[in-house]
């Protein structure tokens, strides 16, 4: 799906400026509102939702439950892995929330009593709610790939939650001899950030080309197709001859890992790695399962108008944890969904009815530090799911000049600064 260049540029400008990711008109401040909303997870979805509920109706008491004192953002963390950015640029605190009268409870949520409507925290505190919003992100399916345990992740990092894992993968790349083999394994759908493994592959290939040119990179994939595939593959052909992508049909699906032997096993053979980045199968953050809002897939079915769980009333799920139809699991999506959910929750606590939303997502990827590509989509509820609005959005032009790629890399940077400024600033 490609769009005309002029209209697309206008679209990207708007998206990069962070203007109204959710095209839902915010309802007027409800009169005589009140009620208590608890939000679990202070990441892209949860932190946005909490602040927007308070903006829409200041009389609603809003508490965000977050287990970490500092949020570490995944977008741009692939640059940290290859030494082009520091982890400190990814870190955001919650000190601005008090001024918005959003209470932050710095503790893990450990239990949800859906009938009695309360959340229990690790320190034993019980928080009653009228509406609960969950945006816990992802957890690794530790039972999803034989041999890949929490201990294994210390040798073969996933780096799919930013932080110590990101730095571990960086140190391993730095320590690798020139001439070594790096292997990335990409999971089957659905997973957090569909273009993420390929952006990572690109930036690691860039690192190897500039720092360790005798080395090679193999991406073992459990899929035959991926986000922005032609754009990535055209760029790889031109820039990174030492990058090999192995698809599902050609034997890319990793069926187990042998950490001792630093080997990735597929049905077609074994791949020995000097550095192995295993991006494993994932599921909704554990608290979703505890609350009973995750189904057998491990993800959370939601009503696409209000983001209320289809399984448990009065609990809403946004961000990566939700099954959001055609919307990818991205920070942009989580932020857009959170605004729609905030408007719906503010209506529902005062007995109102949420309005039908339209939502936008744009995902930028860096193929090199000055080479950006993007995909954009617009979504609306249809048949109980979020579906693509036909003819809206699309991907970067296949044949664009390097100046356009450089411009998209600056848009990516602008997008990151805008969204983190809105969510945490
Ligand atoms: C390498 C990489 C690159 C990416 N690049 C991009 C990009 O360029 N653009 C983009 O849009 N997206 C990108 N993403 C995806 C993006 O990071 C996620 O989609 C986004 O973070 C989802 O937001 P969320 O609110 O669902 O989860 P998160 O942002 O992960 O937030 C979840 C929060 O919940 C907290 N939490 C979980 N459980 C509990 C509990 N029980 N109690 C208390 N707190 C809890 C966690 O500590 C965390 O702070 C990337 C991801 C990766 C891995």
């Amino acid at each position: 799906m490609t769009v005309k260049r002029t209209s697309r540029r206008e679209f990207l400008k708007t998206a990069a400026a962070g203007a109204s990711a959710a095209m839902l008109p915010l309802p007027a401040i409800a009169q005589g509102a009140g009620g208590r909303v608890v939000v679990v997870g202070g990441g892209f979805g949860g932190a946005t939702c909490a602040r927007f509920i308070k903006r829409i109706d200041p009389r609603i008491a809003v508490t965000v439950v977050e287990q970490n004192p500092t949020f570490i953002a995944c977008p741009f963390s692939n640059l940290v892995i290859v030494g082009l950015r520091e982890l400190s640029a990814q870190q955001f605190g919650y000190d601005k929330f008090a001024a918005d009268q959003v209470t932050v409870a710095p503790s893990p949520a450990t239990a949800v009593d859906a009938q009695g409507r309360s959340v229990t925290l690790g320190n034993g505190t019980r928080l009653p709610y009228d509406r609960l919003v969950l945006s816990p992100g992802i957890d690794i399916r530790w039972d999803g790939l034989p041999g890949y345990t929490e201990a294994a992740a210390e040798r073969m990092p996933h780096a799919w939650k930013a932080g110590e894992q990101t730095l571990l993968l960086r140190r391993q790349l730095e320590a690798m001899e020139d001439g070594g083999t790096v292997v990335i394994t990409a999971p089957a759908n659905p997973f957090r950030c569909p273009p993420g493994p390929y952006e990572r592959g690109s930036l690691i290939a860039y690192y190897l080309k500039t720092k360790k040119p005798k080395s090679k990179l193999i991406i073992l994939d459990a899929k035959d197709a991926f986000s922005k595939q032609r754009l990535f593959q055209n760029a790889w052909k031109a820039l990174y001859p030492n990058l090999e992508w192995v698809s599902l049909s050609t034997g890319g699906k990793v069926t187990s890992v042998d950490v001792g032997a630093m080997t990735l096993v597929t049905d077609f053979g074994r791949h020995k790695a000097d550095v192995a980045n295993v991006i494993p199968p994932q599921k909704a953050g554990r608290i979703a399962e505890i609350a009973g809002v995750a189904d057998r897939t491990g993800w959370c079915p939601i009503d696409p108008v209000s983001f209320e769980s289809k399984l448990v009333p009065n609990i809403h799920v946004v961000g990566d944890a939700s099954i959001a139809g055609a919307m990818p699991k991205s920070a942009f999506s989580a932020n857009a969904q959170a605004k729609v959910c905030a408007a719906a929750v503010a209506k529902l606590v005062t007995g109102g009815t949420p309005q039908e939303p339209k939502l936008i997502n744009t995902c930028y990827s860096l193929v090199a530090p000055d080479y950006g590509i993007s995909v954009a989509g617009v979504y609306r509820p249809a048949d109980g799911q979020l579906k693509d609005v036909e003819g809206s959005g699309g991907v970067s032009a296949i044949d664009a000049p390097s100046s356009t790629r450089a411009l998209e890399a600056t848009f990516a940077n602008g997008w990151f600064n805008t969204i983190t400024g809105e969510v945490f600033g």
Side-chain angles (χ1 to χ4, degrees), residues 40-46 65-68 71 73-78 94 107-110 135-138 159-161 192-193 196 199-200 285-287 318-321 329-334 361-364 415:
V40 174
F44 283 104
V65 180
E66 171 53 53
Q67 60 198 355
N68 296 319
F71 179 71
C74 285
F76 277 39
S77 65
N78 287 330
Y94 297 97
S107 183
T110 54
S135 189
I138 56 145
W160 221 239
K161 290 184 177 196
R192 159 176 281 184
C193 195
E199 177 186 77
R200 179 171 294 173
R286 170 105 179 92
I287 193 68
V318 296
D320 289 353
K329 298 186 185 301
S330 73
F332 199 126
S333 293
N361 175 68
T362 304
C363 276
Y364 294 96
W415 168 79

Side-chain angles (χ1 to χ4, degrees), residues 4 33 51 53 64 80 85 87 95-96 106 110 122 139 142 157 173 213 228 233 249 267 272 286 345 359-360:
K4 276 202 310 207
R51 295 185 97 178
I53 291 171
V64 184
V80 178
R85 190 175 170 92
L87 196 68
D95 48 314
K96 300 281 165 39
T110 54
D139 267 338
W142 294 113
L173 284 173
K228 294 177 257 191
Q233 288 186 314
S249 357
D267 285 342
K272 175 125 182 51
R286 170 105 179 92
V345 165
L359 300 102
I360 300 177

